[in-house]
Amino acid sequence: MLACERFRPFVNRLPGILKGMTPHVVWHFAAGYASYCGISCLLCCRLEELRIPYKVKYHFGVLPNVVRCDQ
């Protein structure tokens, strides 16, 4: 967050919705995504241990969306 001031001249030139996107904001998106992926991974591990079949669907090929039990 301390480095955000250094990036301010650059981020103010970004177009549209990206205007003002500092490294701190990017860090929050990345931390949230990593937490979501970690929870999804733990859920899949638990389902495997319980021998419950499941499927993971993806949005855009990288975003795990739904973990479904096929029972």
Side-chain angles (χ1 to χ4, degrees), residues 2-71:
L2 296 174
C4 289
E5 288 302 318
R6 254 186 269 164
F7 288 97
R8 190 163 307 281
F10 171 72
V11 298
N12 287 336
R13 288 182 282 171
L14 292 173
I17 195 170
L18 296 177
K19 189 175 193 101
M21 184 76 75
T22 63
H24 185 78
V25 174
V26 174
W27 180 86
H28 275 283
F29 280 115
Y33 177 69
S35 297
Y36 179 75
C37 287
I39 291 168
S40 296
C41 180
L42 291 172
L43 179 60
C44 290
C45 289
R46 181 69 177 151
L47 290 172
E48 283 182 11
E49 281 297 313
L50 296 174
R51 292 186 174 91
I52 297 174
Y54 64 93
K55 288 184 183 178
V56 179
K57 299 216 173 193
Y58 293 91
H59 278 304
F60 312 113
V62 293
L63 299 172
N65 182 31
V66 178
V67 178
R68 276 193 210 166
C69 299
D70 293 335
Q71 283 188 337

